[in-house]
PDB file of all heavy atoms in Angstrom:
ATOM      1  N   LYS A   1       0.832  -1.202   0.000  1.00  0.00           N
ATOM      2  CA  LYS A   1       0.000   0.000   0.000  1.00  0.00           C
ATOM      3  C   LYS A   1       0.872   1.259   0.000  1.00  0.00           C
ATOM      4  O   LYS A   1       0.615   2.217  -0.749  1.00  0.00           O
ATOM      5  CB  LYS A   1      -0.937   0.005   1.204  1.00  0.00           C
ATOM      6  CG  LYS A   1      -2.068  -1.018   1.146  1.00  0.00           C
ATOM      7  CD  LYS A   1      -2.899  -0.975   2.419  1.00  0.00           C
ATOM      8  CE  LYS A   1      -3.972  -2.047   2.428  1.00  0.00           C
ATOM      9  NZ  LYS A   1      -5.020  -1.822   1.419  1.00  0.00           N
ATOM     10  N   TYR A   2       1.901   1.272   0.845  1.00  0.00           N
ATOM     11  CA  TYR A   2       2.814   2.415   0.892  1.00  0.00           C
ATOM     12  C   TYR A   2       3.510   2.603  -0.457  1.00  0.00           C
ATOM     13  O   TYR A   2       3.597   3.717  -0.990  1.00  0.00           O
ATOM     14  CB  TYR A   2       3.863   2.199   1.980  1.00  0.00           C
ATOM     15  CG  TYR A   2       3.428   2.516   3.395  1.00  0.00           C
ATOM     16  CD1 TYR A   2       4.062   1.893   4.475  1.00  0.00           C
ATOM     17  CD2 TYR A   2       2.426   3.437   3.681  1.00  0.00           C
ATOM     18  CE1 TYR A   2       3.705   2.192   5.792  1.00  0.00           C
ATOM     19  CE2 TYR A   2       2.059   3.738   4.980  1.00  0.00           C
ATOM     20  CZ  TYR A   2       2.704   3.109   6.040  1.00  0.00           C
ATOM     21  OH  TYR A   2       2.350   3.403   7.328  1.00  0.00           O
ATOM     22  N   ASP A   3       4.032   1.510  -1.009  1.00  0.00           N
ATOM     23  CA  ASP A   3       4.754   1.586  -2.285  1.00  0.00           C
ATOM     24  C   ASP A   3       3.875   2.167  -3.390  1.00  0.00           C
ATOM     25  O   ASP A   3       4.304   3.034  -4.162  1.00  0.00           O
ATOM     26  CB  ASP A   3       5.243   0.197  -2.706  1.00  0.00           C
ATOM     27  CG  ASP A   3       6.497  -0.247  -1.981  1.00  0.00           C
ATOM     28  OD1 ASP A   3       7.105   0.578  -1.270  1.00  0.00           O
ATOM     29  OD2 ASP A   3       6.871  -1.435  -2.125  1.00  0.00           O
ATOM     30  N   ALA A   4       2.650   1.676  -3.460  1.00  0.00           N
ATOM     31  CA  ALA A   4       1.749   2.098  -4.528  1.00  0.00           C
ATOM     32  C   ALA A   4       1.443   3.589  -4.451  1.00  0.00           C
ATOM     33  O   ALA A   4       1.288   4.257  -5.485  1.00  0.00           O
ATOM     34  CB  ALA A   4       0.445   1.297  -4.463  1.00  0.00           C
ATOM     35  N   ALA A   5       1.402   4.126  -3.231  1.00  0.00           N
ATOM     36  CA  ALA A   5       1.062   5.540  -3.060  1.00  0.00           C
ATOM     37  C   ALA A   5       2.267   6.460  -3.173  1.00  0.00           C
ATOM     38  O   ALA A   5       2.159   7.576  -3.697  1.00  0.00           O
ATOM     39  CB  ALA A   5       0.396   5.739  -1.697  1.00  0.00           C
ATOM     40  N   LEU A   6       3.425   6.016  -2.724  1.00  0.00           N
ATOM     41  CA  LEU A   6       4.566   6.918  -2.572  1.00  0.00           C
ATOM     42  C   LEU A   6       5.571   6.865  -3.724  1.00  0.00           C
ATOM     43  O   LEU A   6       6.167   7.890  -4.082  1.00  0.00           O
ATOM     44  CB  LEU A   6       5.273   6.636  -1.254  1.00  0.00           C
ATOM     45  CG  LEU A   6       4.408   6.849   0.001  1.00  0.00           C
ATOM     46  CD1 LEU A   6       5.183   6.443   1.252  1.00  0.00           C
ATOM     47  CD2 LEU A   6       3.950   8.294   0.102  1.00  0.00           C
ATOM     48  N   LYS A   7       5.796   5.700  -4.289  1.00  0.00           N
ATOM     49  CA  LYS A   7       6.793   5.603  -5.360  1.00  0.00           C
ATOM     50  C   LYS A   7       6.473   6.499  -6.556  1.00  0.00           C
ATOM     51  O   LYS A   7       7.390   7.123  -7.127  1.00  0.00           O
ATOM     52  CB  LYS A   7       6.968   4.151  -5.790  1.00  0.00           C
ATOM     53  CG  LYS A   7       7.791   3.320  -4.811  1.00  0.00           C
ATOM     54  CD  LYS A   7       8.109   1.941  -5.358  1.00  0.00           C
ATOM     55  CE  LYS A   7       9.054   1.177  -4.435  1.00  0.00           C
ATOM     56  NZ  LYS A   7       9.430  -0.146  -4.975  1.00  0.00           N
ATOM     57  N   PRO A   8       5.207   6.603  -6.977  1.00  0.00           N
ATOM     58  CA  PRO A   8       4.913   7.490  -8.122  1.00  0.00           C
ATOM     59  C   PRO A   8       5.233   8.960  -7.871  1.00  0.00           C
ATOM     60  O   PRO A   8       5.393   9.724  -8.816  1.00  0.00           O
ATOM     61  CB  PRO A   8       3.402   7.292  -8.321  1.00  0.00           C
ATOM     62  CG  PRO A   8       3.109   5.944  -7.769  1.00  0.00           C
ATOM     63  CD  PRO A   8       4.022   5.812  -6.585  1.00  0.00           C
ATOM     64  N   LEU A   9       5.365   9.350  -6.600  1.00  0.00           N
ATOM     65  CA  LEU A   9       5.679  10.743  -6.266  1.00  0.00           C
ATOM     66  C   LEU A   9       7.177  11.023  -6.281  1.00  0.00           C
ATOM     67  O   LEU A   9       7.605  12.160  -6.078  1.00  0.00           O
ATOM     68  CB  LEU A   9       5.124  11.086  -4.879  1.00  0.00           C
ATOM     69  CG  LEU A   9       3.609  10.960  -4.681  1.00  0.00           C
ATOM     70  CD1 LEU A   9       3.237  11.324  -3.248  1.00  0.00           C
ATOM     71  CD2 LEU A   9       2.867  11.849  -5.673  1.00  0.00           C
ATOM     72  N   GLY A  10       7.985   9.974  -6.467  1.00  0.00           N
ATOM     73  CA  GLY A  10       9.436  10.144  -6.447  1.00  0.00           C
ATOM     74  C   GLY A  10      10.055   9.885  -5.098  1.00  0.00           C
ATOM     75  O   GLY A  10      11.263  10.088  -4.908  1.00  0.00           O
ATOM     76  N   VAL A  11       9.253   9.435  -4.132  1.00  0.00           N
ATOM     77  CA  VAL A  11       9.787   9.063  -2.829  1.00  0.00           C
ATOM     78  C   VAL A  11      10.606   7.786  -2.999  1.00  0.00           C
ATOM     79  O   VAL A  11      10.142   6.812  -3.607  1.00  0.00           O
ATOM     80  CB  VAL A  11       8.652   8.829  -1.808  1.00  0.00           C
ATOM     81  CG1 VAL A  11       9.207   8.325  -0.479  1.00  0.00           C
ATOM     82  CG2 VAL A  11       7.856  10.114  -1.600  1.00  0.00           C
ATOM     83  N   GLU A  12      11.832   7.794  -2.490  1.00  0.00           N
ATOM     84  CA  GLU A  12      12.706   6.626  -2.619  1.00  0.00           C
ATOM     85  C   GLU A  12      12.433   5.662  -1.474  1.00  0.00           C
ATOM     86  O   GLU A  12      12.422   6.050  -0.301  1.00  0.00           O
ATOM     87  CB  GLU A  12      14.168   7.061  -2.607  1.00  0.00           C
ATOM     88  CG  GLU A  12      14.544   7.951  -3.786  1.00  0.00           C
ATOM     89  CD  GLU A  12      15.971   8.447  -3.717  1.00  0.00           C
ATOM     90  OE1 GLU A  12      16.716   8.015  -2.802  1.00  0.00           O
ATOM     91  OE2 GLU A  12      16.357   9.278  -4.558  1.00  0.00           O
ATOM     92  N   THR A  13      12.190   4.407  -1.816  1.00  0.00           N
ATOM     93  CA  THR A  13      11.934   3.375  -0.807  1.00  0.00           C
ATOM     94  C   THR A  13      12.804   2.163  -1.095  1.00  0.00           C
ATOM     95  O   THR A  13      13.455   2.086  -2.149  1.00  0.00           O
ATOM     96  CB  THR A  13      10.450   2.967  -0.810  1.00  0.00           C
ATOM     97  OG1 THR A  13      10.144   2.312  -2.049  1.00  0.00           O
ATOM     98  CG2 THR A  13       9.536   4.173  -0.643  1.00  0.00           C
ATOM     99  N   LEU A  14      12.813   1.220  -0.180  1.00  0.00           N
ATOM    100  CA  LEU A  14      13.590  -0.003  -0.353  1.00  0.00           C
ATOM    101  C   LEU A  14      12.740  -1.072  -1.027  1.00  0.00           C
ATOM    102  O   LEU A  14      11.523  -1.101  -0.860  1.00  0.00           O
ATOM    103  CB  LEU A  14      14.077  -0.518   1.004  1.00  0.00           C
ATOM    104  CG  LEU A  14      14.915   0.455   1.840  1.00  0.00           C
ATOM    105  CD1 LEU A  14      15.266  -0.171   3.189  1.00  0.00           C
ATOM    106  CD2 LEU A  14      16.178   0.869   1.101  1.00  0.00           C
ATOM    107  N   ASP A  15      13.400  -1.955  -1.752  1.00  0.00           N
ATOM    108  CA  ASP A  15      12.709  -3.080  -2.385  1.00  0.00           C
ATOM    109  C   ASP A  15      12.683  -4.255  -1.402  1.00  0.00           C
ATOM    110  O   ASP A  15      13.696  -4.908  -1.177  1.00  0.00           O
ATOM    111  CB  ASP A  15      13.415  -3.488  -3.680  1.00  0.00           C
ATOM    112  CG  ASP A  15      13.288  -2.432  -4.762  1.00  0.00           C
ATOM    113  OD1 ASP A  15      12.222  -1.795  -4.831  1.00  0.00           O
ATOM    114  OD2 ASP A  15      14.255  -2.241  -5.521  1.00  0.00           O
ATOM    115  N   HIS A  16      11.510  -4.515  -0.851  1.00  0.00           N
ATOM    116  CA  HIS A  16      11.391  -5.568   0.161  1.00  0.00           C
ATOM    117  C   HIS A  16      11.203  -6.959  -0.435  1.00  0.00           C
ATOM    118  O   HIS A  16      11.555  -7.954   0.202  1.00  0.00           O
ATOM    119  CB  HIS A  16      10.216  -5.252   1.093  1.00  0.00           C
ATOM    120  CG  HIS A  16      10.531  -4.211   2.118  1.00  0.00           C
ATOM    121  ND1 HIS A  16      10.972  -4.518   3.389  1.00  0.00           N
ATOM    122  CD2 HIS A  16      10.486  -2.856   2.064  1.00  0.00           C
ATOM    123  CE1 HIS A  16      11.169  -3.409   4.069  1.00  0.00           C
ATOM    124  NE2 HIS A  16      10.886  -2.380   3.287  1.00  0.00           N
ATOM    125  N   TYR A  17      10.645  -7.023  -1.645  1.00  0.00           N
ATOM    126  CA  TYR A  17      10.310  -8.325  -2.224  1.00  0.00           C
ATOM    127  C   TYR A  17      10.762  -8.360  -3.679  1.00  0.00           C
ATOM    128  O   TYR A  17      10.270  -7.598  -4.507  1.00  0.00           O
ATOM    129  CB  TYR A  17       8.802  -8.581  -2.114  1.00  0.00           C
ATOM    130  CG  TYR A  17       8.282  -8.391  -0.702  1.00  0.00           C
ATOM    131  CD1 TYR A  17       7.686  -7.184  -0.321  1.00  0.00           C
ATOM    132  CD2 TYR A  17       8.423  -9.390   0.256  1.00  0.00           C
ATOM    133  CE1 TYR A  17       7.237  -6.992   0.973  1.00  0.00           C
ATOM    134  CE2 TYR A  17       7.982  -9.203   1.562  1.00  0.00           C
ATOM    135  CZ  TYR A  17       7.384  -7.997   1.915  1.00  0.00           C
ATOM    136  OH  TYR A  17       6.954  -7.798   3.205  1.00  0.00           O
ATOM    137  N   THR A  18      11.737  -9.231  -3.969  1.00  0.00           N
ATOM    138  CA  THR A  18      12.269  -9.359  -5.325  1.00  0.00           C
ATOM    139  C   THR A  18      12.444 -10.848  -5.631  1.00  0.00           C
ATOM    140  O   THR A  18      12.156 -11.713  -4.796  1.00  0.00           O
ATOM    141  CB  THR A  18      13.641  -8.662  -5.467  1.00  0.00           C
ATOM    142  OG1 THR A  18      14.637  -9.436  -4.790  1.00  0.00           O
ATOM    143  CG2 THR A  18      13.610  -7.245  -4.901  1.00  0.00           C
ATOM    144  N   ALA A  19      12.956 -11.141  -6.811  1.00  0.00           N
ATOM    145  CA  ALA A  19      13.214 -12.531  -7.193  1.00  0.00           C
ATOM    146  C   ALA A  19      14.327 -13.142  -6.350  1.00  0.00           C
ATOM    147  O   ALA A  19      14.400 -14.375  -6.199  1.00  0.00           O
ATOM    148  CB  ALA A  19      13.576 -12.600  -8.676  1.00  0.00           C
ATOM    149  N   ASP A  20      15.210 -12.310  -5.786  1.00  0.00           N
ATOM    150  CA  ASP A  20      16.359 -12.812  -5.027  1.00  0.00           C
ATOM    151  C   ASP A  20      16.117 -12.895  -3.529  1.00  0.00           C
ATOM    152  O   ASP A  20      16.759 -13.689  -2.847  1.00  0.00           O
ATOM    153  CB  ASP A  20      17.584 -11.930  -5.277  1.00  0.00           C
ATOM    154  CG  ASP A  20      18.108 -12.053  -6.696  1.00  0.00           C
ATOM    155  OD1 ASP A  20      18.024 -13.164  -7.250  1.00  0.00           O
ATOM    156  OD2 ASP A  20      18.582 -11.047  -7.243  1.00  0.00           O
ATOM    157  N   TRP A  21      15.239 -12.045  -3.012  1.00  0.00           N
ATOM    158  CA  TRP A  21      15.025 -12.053  -1.569  1.00  0.00           C
ATOM    159  C   TRP A  21      13.588 -11.724  -1.201  1.00  0.00           C
ATOM    160  O   TRP A  21      12.840 -11.155  -1.990  1.00  0.00           O
ATOM    161  CB  TRP A  21      15.976 -11.071  -0.874  1.00  0.00           C
ATOM    162  CG  TRP A  21      15.724  -9.623  -1.184  1.00  0.00           C
ATOM    163  CD1 TRP A  21      14.758  -8.813  -0.640  1.00  0.00           C
ATOM    164  CD2 TRP A  21      16.444  -8.802  -2.109  1.00  0.00           C
ATOM    165  NE1 TRP A  21      14.840  -7.545  -1.165  1.00  0.00           N
ATOM    166  CE2 TRP A  21      15.858  -7.511  -2.074  1.00  0.00           C
ATOM    167  CE3 TRP A  21      17.527  -9.031  -2.946  1.00  0.00           C
ATOM    168  CZ2 TRP A  21      16.332  -6.463  -2.854  1.00  0.00           C
ATOM    169  CZ3 TRP A  21      17.979  -7.986  -3.735  1.00  0.00           C
ATOM    170  CH2 TRP A  21      17.399  -6.723  -3.680  1.00  0.00           C
ATOM    171  N   GLU A  22      13.247 -12.114   0.016  1.00  0.00           N
ATOM    172  CA  GLU A  22      11.957 -11.787   0.602  1.00  0.00           C
ATOM    173  C   GLU A  22      12.217 -11.188   1.973  1.00  0.00           C
ATOM    174  O   GLU A  22      12.827 -11.825   2.838  1.00  0.00           O
ATOM    175  CB  GLU A  22      11.086 -13.038   0.711  1.00  0.00           C
ATOM    176  CG  GLU A  22       9.688 -12.782   1.226  1.00  0.00           C
ATOM    177  CD  GLU A  22       8.823 -14.020   1.202  1.00  0.00           C
ATOM    178  OE1 GLU A  22       9.061 -14.886   0.332  1.00  0.00           O
ATOM    179  OE2 GLU A  22       7.925 -14.138   2.054  1.00  0.00           O
ATOM    180  N   SER A  23      11.781  -9.971   2.177  1.00  0.00           N
ATOM    181  CA  SER A  23      12.016  -9.257   3.426  1.00  0.00           C
ATOM    182  C   SER A  23      11.084  -9.753   4.529  1.00  0.00           C
ATOM    183  O   SER A  23      10.034 -10.337   4.270  1.00  0.00           O
ATOM    184  CB  SER A  23      11.795  -7.762   3.188  1.00  0.00           C
ATOM    185  OG  SER A  23      11.766  -7.033   4.385  1.00  0.00           O
ATOM    186  N   SER A  24      11.467  -9.469   5.765  1.00  0.00           N
ATOM    187  CA  SER A  24      10.558  -9.686   6.892  1.00  0.00           C
ATOM    188  C   SER A  24       9.635  -8.481   7.065  1.00  0.00           C
ATOM    189  O   SER A  24       8.738  -8.504   7.911  1.00  0.00           O
ATOM    190  CB  SER A  24      11.356  -9.905   8.188  1.00  0.00           C
ATOM    191  OG  SER A  24      12.021  -8.702   8.559  1.00  0.00           O
ATOM    192  N   GLY A  25       9.867  -7.431   6.275  1.00  0.00           N
ATOM    193  CA  GLY A  25       9.016  -6.249   6.327  1.00  0.00           C
ATOM    194  C   GLY A  25       9.069  -5.535   7.664  1.00  0.00           C
ATOM    195  O   GLY A  25       8.045  -5.081   8.177  1.00  0.00           O
ATOM    196  N   HIS A  26      10.259  -5.389   8.213  1.00  0.00           N
ATOM    197  CA  HIS A  26      10.349  -4.813   9.550  1.00  0.00           C
ATOM    198  C   HIS A  26      10.178  -3.297   9.570  1.00  0.00           C
ATOM    199  O   HIS A  26       9.471  -2.761  10.433  1.00  0.00           O
ATOM    200  CB  HIS A  26      11.672  -5.184  10.213  1.00  0.00           C
ATOM    201  CG  HIS A  26      11.838  -4.578  11.568  1.00  0.00           C
ATOM    202  ND1 HIS A  26      10.909  -4.750  12.569  1.00  0.00           N
ATOM    203  CD2 HIS A  26      12.799  -3.775  12.097  1.00  0.00           C
ATOM    204  CE1 HIS A  26      11.294  -4.089  13.648  1.00  0.00           C
ATOM    205  NE2 HIS A  26      12.432  -3.489  13.384  1.00  0.00           N
ATOM    206  N   LEU A  27      10.849  -2.598   8.669  1.00  0.00           N
ATOM    207  CA  LEU A  27      10.794  -1.129   8.661  1.00  0.00           C
ATOM    208  C   LEU A  27      10.481  -0.618   7.263  1.00  0.00           C
ATOM    209  O   LEU A  27      10.922  -1.203   6.269  1.00  0.00           O
ATOM    210  CB  LEU A  27      12.137  -0.537   9.107  1.00  0.00           C
ATOM    211  CG  LEU A  27      12.576  -0.761  10.550  1.00  0.00           C
ATOM    212  CD1 LEU A  27      14.013  -0.272  10.739  1.00  0.00           C
ATOM    213  CD2 LEU A  27      11.638  -0.053  11.524  1.00  0.00           C
ATOM    214  N   TYR A  28       9.759   0.512   7.209  1.00  0.00           N
ATOM    215  CA  TYR A  28       9.493   1.150   5.923  1.00  0.00           C
ATOM    216  C   TYR A  28      10.245   2.474   5.876  1.00  0.00           C
ATOM    217  O   TYR A  28       9.783   3.504   6.361  1.00  0.00           O
ATOM    218  CB  TYR A  28       8.001   1.378   5.703  1.00  0.00           C
ATOM    219  CG  TYR A  28       7.691   1.728   4.263  1.00  0.00           C
ATOM    220  CD1 TYR A  28       7.566   0.729   3.299  1.00  0.00           C
ATOM    221  CD2 TYR A  28       7.559   3.055   3.858  1.00  0.00           C
ATOM    222  CE1 TYR A  28       7.312   1.051   1.972  1.00  0.00           C
ATOM    223  CE2 TYR A  28       7.302   3.379   2.536  1.00  0.00           C
ATOM    224  CZ  TYR A  28       7.182   2.377   1.595  1.00  0.00           C
ATOM    225  OH  TYR A  28       6.941   2.684   0.276  1.00  0.00           O
ATOM    226  N   LEU A  29      11.454   2.422   5.300  1.00  0.00           N
ATOM    227  CA  LEU A  29      12.300   3.598   5.168  1.00  0.00           C
ATOM    228  C   LEU A  29      11.960   4.346   3.886  1.00  0.00           C
ATOM    229  O   LEU A  29      11.766   3.733   2.836  1.00  0.00           O
ATOM    230  CB  LEU A  29      13.778   3.206   5.138  1.00  0.00           C
ATOM    231  CG  LEU A  29      14.471   2.911   6.466  1.00  0.00           C
ATOM    232  CD1 LEU A  29      13.948   1.632   7.097  1.00  0.00           C
ATOM    233  CD2 LEU A  29      15.988   2.805   6.272  1.00  0.00           C
ATOM    234  N   THR A  30      11.892   5.673   3.983  1.00  0.00           N
ATOM    235  CA  THR A  30      11.712   6.508   2.797  1.00  0.00           C
ATOM    236  C   THR A  30      12.812   7.560   2.764  1.00  0.00           C
ATOM    237  O   THR A  30      13.333   7.960   3.808  1.00  0.00           O
ATOM    238  CB  THR A  30      10.344   7.223   2.796  1.00  0.00           C
ATOM    239  OG1 THR A  30      10.330   8.244   3.808  1.00  0.00           O
ATOM    240  CG2 THR A  30       9.203   6.239   3.051  1.00  0.00           C
ATOM    241  N   ARG A  31      13.152   7.995   1.554  1.00  0.00           N
ATOM    242  CA  ARG A  31      14.070   9.114   1.388  1.00  0.00           C
ATOM    243  C   ARG A  31      13.409  10.133   0.476  1.00  0.00           C
ATOM    244  O   ARG A  31      12.837   9.774  -0.560  1.00  0.00           O
ATOM    245  CB  ARG A  31      15.406   8.663   0.811  1.00  0.00           C
ATOM    246  CG  ARG A  31      16.218   7.784   1.765  1.00  0.00           C
ATOM    247  CD  ARG A  31      17.566   7.440   1.174  1.00  0.00           C
ATOM    248  NE  ARG A  31      18.406   8.631   1.024  1.00  0.00           N
ATOM    249  CZ  ARG A  31      19.374   8.748   0.123  1.00  0.00           C
ATOM    250  NH1 ARG A  31      19.629   7.763  -0.723  1.00  0.00           N
ATOM    251  NH2 ARG A  31      20.103   9.849   0.056  1.00  0.00           N
ATOM    252  N   ILE A  32      13.500  11.389   0.881  1.00  0.00           N
ATOM    253  CA  ILE A  32      12.869  12.478   0.142  1.00  0.00           C
ATOM    254  C   ILE A  32      13.955  13.247  -0.604  1.00  0.00           C
ATOM    255  O   ILE A  32      14.735  13.987   0.007  1.00  0.00           O
ATOM    256  CB  ILE A  32      12.106  13.433   1.088  1.00  0.00           C
ATOM    257  CG1 ILE A  32      11.276  12.638   2.109  1.00  0.00           C
ATOM    258  CG2 ILE A  32      11.243  14.386   0.278  1.00  0.00           C
ATOM    259  CD1 ILE A  32      10.316  11.652   1.490  1.00  0.00           C
ATOM    260  N   PRO A  33      14.052  13.088  -1.916  1.00  0.00           N
ATOM    261  CA  PRO A  33      15.124  13.733  -2.681  1.00  0.00           C
ATOM    262  C   PRO A  33      15.131  15.250  -2.502  1.00  0.00           C
ATOM    263  O   PRO A  33      14.093  15.912  -2.546  1.00  0.00           O
ATOM    264  CB  PRO A  33      14.792  13.359  -4.132  1.00  0.00           C
ATOM    265  CG  PRO A  33      13.984  12.101  -4.022  1.00  0.00           C
ATOM    266  CD  PRO A  33      13.175  12.263  -2.772  1.00  0.00           C
ATOM    267  N   GLY A  34      16.334  15.773  -2.260  1.00  0.00           N
ATOM    268  CA  GLY A  34      16.519  17.220  -2.258  1.00  0.00           C
ATOM    269  C   GLY A  34      16.280  17.938  -0.947  1.00  0.00           C
ATOM    270  O   GLY A  34      16.572  19.130  -0.850  1.00  0.00           O
ATOM    271  N   ILE A  35      15.772  17.256   0.082  1.00  0.00           N
ATOM    272  CA  ILE A  35      15.514  17.968   1.334  1.00  0.00           C
ATOM    273  C   ILE A  35      16.756  17.950   2.223  1.00  0.00           C
ATOM    274  O   ILE A  35      17.640  17.108   2.083  1.00  0.00           O
ATOM    275  CB  ILE A  35      14.309  17.401   2.101  1.00  0.00           C
ATOM    276  CG1 ILE A  35      14.585  15.966   2.598  1.00  0.00           C
ATOM    277  CG2 ILE A  35      13.047  17.464   1.269  1.00  0.00           C
ATOM    278  CD1 ILE A  35      13.531  15.462   3.580  1.00  0.00           C
ATOM    279  N   THR A  36      16.801  18.891   3.160  1.00  0.00           N
ATOM    280  CA  THR A  36      17.899  18.994   4.112  1.00  0.00           C
ATOM    281  C   THR A  36      17.546  18.247   5.396  1.00  0.00           C
ATOM    282  O   THR A  36      16.398  17.824   5.594  1.00  0.00           O
ATOM    283  CB  THR A  36      18.172  20.462   4.462  1.00  0.00           C
ATOM    284  OG1 THR A  36      17.005  20.995   5.131  1.00  0.00           O
ATOM    285  CG2 THR A  36      18.470  21.280   3.214  1.00  0.00           C
ATOM    286  N   VAL A  37      18.533  18.119   6.268  1.00  0.00           N
ATOM    287  CA  VAL A  37      18.287  17.511   7.583  1.00  0.00           C
ATOM    288  C   VAL A  37      17.216  18.299   8.328  1.00  0.00           C
ATOM    289  O   VAL A  37      16.315  17.717   8.952  1.00  0.00           O
ATOM    290  CB  VAL A  37      19.588  17.460   8.404  1.00  0.00           C
ATOM    291  CG1 VAL A  37      19.294  17.051   9.851  1.00  0.00           C
ATOM    292  CG2 VAL A  37      20.593  16.496   7.778  1.00  0.00           C
ATOM    293  N   GLU A  38      17.304  19.614   8.257  1.00  0.00           N
ATOM    294  CA  GLU A  38      16.339  20.461   8.959  1.00  0.00           C
ATOM    295  C   GLU A  38      14.923  20.263   8.407  1.00  0.00           C
ATOM    296  O   GLU A  38      13.948  20.184   9.170  1.00  0.00           O
ATOM    297  CB  GLU A  38      16.745  21.928   8.856  1.00  0.00           C
ATOM    298  CG  GLU A  38      18.031  22.294   9.591  1.00  0.00           C
ATOM    299  CD  GLU A  38      19.290  21.798   8.901  1.00  0.00           C
ATOM    300  OE1 GLU A  38      19.254  21.544   7.666  1.00  0.00           O
ATOM    301  OE2 GLU A  38      20.318  21.642   9.594  1.00  0.00           O
ATOM    302  N   GLN A  39      14.814  20.159   7.103  1.00  0.00           N
ATOM    303  CA  GLN A  39      13.500  19.927   6.497  1.00  0.00           C
ATOM    304  C   GLN A  39      12.973  18.537   6.849  1.00  0.00           C
ATOM    305  O   GLN A  39      11.771  18.375   7.089  1.00  0.00           O
ATOM    306  CB  GLN A  39      13.601  20.097   4.974  1.00  0.00           C
ATOM    307  CG  GLN A  39      13.807  21.534   4.527  1.00  0.00           C
ATOM    308  CD  GLN A  39      14.056  21.645   3.038  1.00  0.00           C
ATOM    309  OE1 GLN A  39      14.775  20.834   2.449  1.00  0.00           O
ATOM    310  NE2 GLN A  39      13.475  22.661   2.409  1.00  0.00           N
TER     311      GLN A  39
END
């Protein structure tokens, strides 16, 4: 649900499920391109 909503906006997320691995889905990390630590 998070991926479907956030990836199209350019929010960087981790790939939890691929052909090589399956995550335990512990944390949902996002990175916002271009923002500062303060932002």
Side-chain angles (χ1 to χ4, degrees):
K1 289 177 184 292
Y2 279 155
D3 281 351
L6 299 176
K7 284 188 174 183
L9 300 179
V11 175
E12 297 176 6
T13 66
L14 303 177
D15 292 324
H16 282 266
Y17 308 97
T18 73
D20 291 326
W21 67 79
E22 184 175 331
S23 169
S24 68
H26 178 55
L27 293 172
Y28 194 82
L29 280 69
T30 71
R31 292 184 66 206
I32 315 305
I35 66 169
T36 64
V37 170
E38 293 74 22
Q39 289 174 319

